[in-house]
Amino acid sequence: MTGLQGKNTGNNNSRIKTIIEISLMVSLGIIIQIIEAPIPRPLPWVKLGMANVITVLSLVFFRLRGAVLISFLRIILVSVLLGSFLSPGFFLSLSGGLMSTFVMGLVLILFSRQFSLVGVSLIGALVHNLTQLGVAYILFLKQLHISWDNILYFLSLMLIWSLPTGLFVGYLARLTLPVFINTRKRVNW
Amino acid sequence: MLTKPDISLILIVVALILGCYFLFDLSKNIEKFVVVEVDGKTEKNIKLPQNMIFDNHGKDGWLKIEISGRKVRVLDSSCPNKLCVNSGWINKSGESIICLPNRVVIKIVGEEKEFDGITR
């Protein structure tokens, strides 16, 4: 996979293939997220985030730039479809999604020998939640003068939920990775 | 399978969670009291945390109040509609349970800041 730069190969075909594959990943992510949306949650801010399986797999197949593009498109399109576009929650999920994709990509580039996909996904879940908490603090909580023990409370909640969800997403990504690789081989285009 | 860095990462996260809870507990050391008022007069002022169940008389009835750690509820009451019982637990300063037929107000008072009333 050469990434997005079709001009490197000069091959127009591979560029089109890349675009199609990226679109497929975006659509898969959208479908997963929309199926997940109506499932009841124990707490309003707790979400499994199964679409992040697609983000992790995108990082494997399309590297940093492709994956950031894929999660960017997915978050925008899902928010339009679910009607939360430009709402406060949209900015939280956009910042969290892009930041976690970026950091996971960096980890995969720098420490791919050390961390498995499960570890990478756990790092992604942590970064996702911490970014959201930071952005929420700057955008909303700061004006409310919320005391530090409340922030600490949110932080501990986020850490607690990141652990199982991050591990689960990473595990799913590892389970489905061979399926994606085999499908790509079988289609053989 | 998990690699060694994976496992150490998980352990670090678990340690962070425990640390957060420890700090959170420390920051909760602000004193709070349960105040029971009958017909506007303060009958009891109990410092939290506390574990006890006691009966308190109301205007024409009684209430069975349970204090467990930092939270309070009405276990049972002589009033007909049981709104006070259905209010469940309260634990934040400023929260209250009101039993109108018995003229009883149970509230938590303390220094701790809450979300309400801090906006400027």
Side-chain angles (χ1 to χ4, degrees):
Chain A
M1 204 60 247
T2 50
L4 292 174
Q5 313 92 318
K7 57 177 181 259
N8 282 359
T9 58
N11 186 349
N12 214 17
N13 244 358
S14 84
R15 194 181 158 81
I16 292 172
K17 280 177 191 168
T18 310
I19 290 174
I20 292 176
E21 286 186 334
I22 284 182
S23 325
L24 281 173
M25 290 304 253
V26 172
S27 356
L28 268 176
I30 292 174
I31 291 167
I32 292 174
Q33 210 176 339
I34 288 196
I35 289 175
E36 200 190 338
I39 296 174
R41 307 172 190 169
L43 289 165
W45 57 84
V46 172
K47 203 163 99 174
L48 197 46
M50 291 231 280
N52 291 321
V53 175
I54 298 296
T55 307
V56 175
L57 293 178
S58 311
L59 278 167
V60 175
F61 290 122
F62 306 101
R63 303 300 168 81
L64 186 56
R65 283 179 57 186
V68 169
L69 177 67
I70 287 169
S71 42
F72 179 72
L73 289 174
R74 168 175 64 79
I75 293 164
I76 299 261
L77 288 171
V78 166
S79 74
V80 169
L81 288 169
L82 294 181
S84 62
F85 186 54
L86 296 185
S87 71
F90 164 74
F91 290 110
L92 292 186
S93 64
L94 186 67
S95 57
L98 290 185
M99 193 55 139
S100 72
T101 312
F102 186 71
V103 173
M104 281 195 286
L106 284 186
V107 171
L108 268 180
I109 290 170
L110 297 174
F111 305 108
S112 60
R113 280 161 187 272
Q114 281 86 352
F115 289 111
S116 72
L117 279 189
V118 179
V120 171
S121 159
L122 176 58
I123 293 174
L126 292 172
V127 171
H128 196 282
N129 281 329
L130 294 182
T131 309
Q132 286 195 331
L133 186 63
V135 171
Y137 179 73
I138 293 166
L139 286 185
F140 318 112
L141 304 180
K142 214 174 178 179
Q143 286 94 317
L144 295 175
H145 297 274
I146 285 173
S147 56
W148 273 105
D149 55 329
N150 284 315
I151 302 277
L152 211 59
Y153 177 65
F154 277 121
L155 190 67
S156 58
L157 273 184
M158 298 208 137
L159 288 176
I160 284 181
W161 285 103
S162 305
L163 192 60
T165 55
L167 293 179
F168 181 70
V169 164
Y171 183 67
L172 273 188
R174 211 178 55 200
L175 274 185
T176 46
L177 183 63
V179 180
F180 276 74
I181 291 174
N182 286 339
T183 312
R184 279 180 117 206
K185 266 193 199 142
R186 212 172 54 229
V187 173
N188 191 28
W189 54 332
Chain B
M1 52 230 78
L2 294 171
T3 61
K4 262 187 185 165
D6 282 349
I7 292 166
S8 37
L9 180 68
I10 294 171
L11 291 179
I12 289 171
V13 174
V14 171
L16 279 179
I17 291 171
L18 294 178
C20 264
Y21 262 88
F22 186 64
L23 281 178
F24 185 60
D25 260 2
L26 283 187
S27 71
K28 272 209 145 180
N29 276 345
I30 305 150
E31 290 191 344
K32 283 194 214 171
F33 297 87
V34 175
V35 174
V36 181
E37 287 178 359
V38 179
D39 219 8
K41 285 194 288 287
T42 301
E43 293 262 323
K44 283 198 174 71
N45 200 341
I46 301 159
K47 193 177 162 197
L48 292 177
Q50 190 77 253
N51 283 305
M52 58 197 290
I53 296 175
F54 59 93
D55 289 319
N56 204 91
H57 67 92
K59 191 113 199 273
D60 351 82
W62 50 268
L63 287 93
K64 194 185 271 285
I65 299 167
E66 180 182 2
I67 302 177
S68 168
R70 299 181 183 276
K71 49 193 206 289
V72 191
R73 71 169 167 180
V74 178
L75 262 184
D76 199 4
S77 140
S78 63
C79 61
N81 51 17
K82 305 276 190 253
L83 278 179
C84 46
V85 180
N86 292 329
S87 304
W89 293 103
I90 58 170
N91 59 6
K92 297 186 181 66
S93 55
E95 280 187 313
S96 58
I97 299 174
I98 297 167
C99 185
L100 214 49
N102 282 323
R103 306 254 169 209
V104 173
V105 178
I106 301 156
K107 58 188 176 191
I108 296 184
V109 290
E111 300 285 291
E112 196 193 48
K113 282 180 190 163
E114 276 308 322
F115 289 69
D116 289 338
I118 318 175
T119 45
R120 283 183 182 165

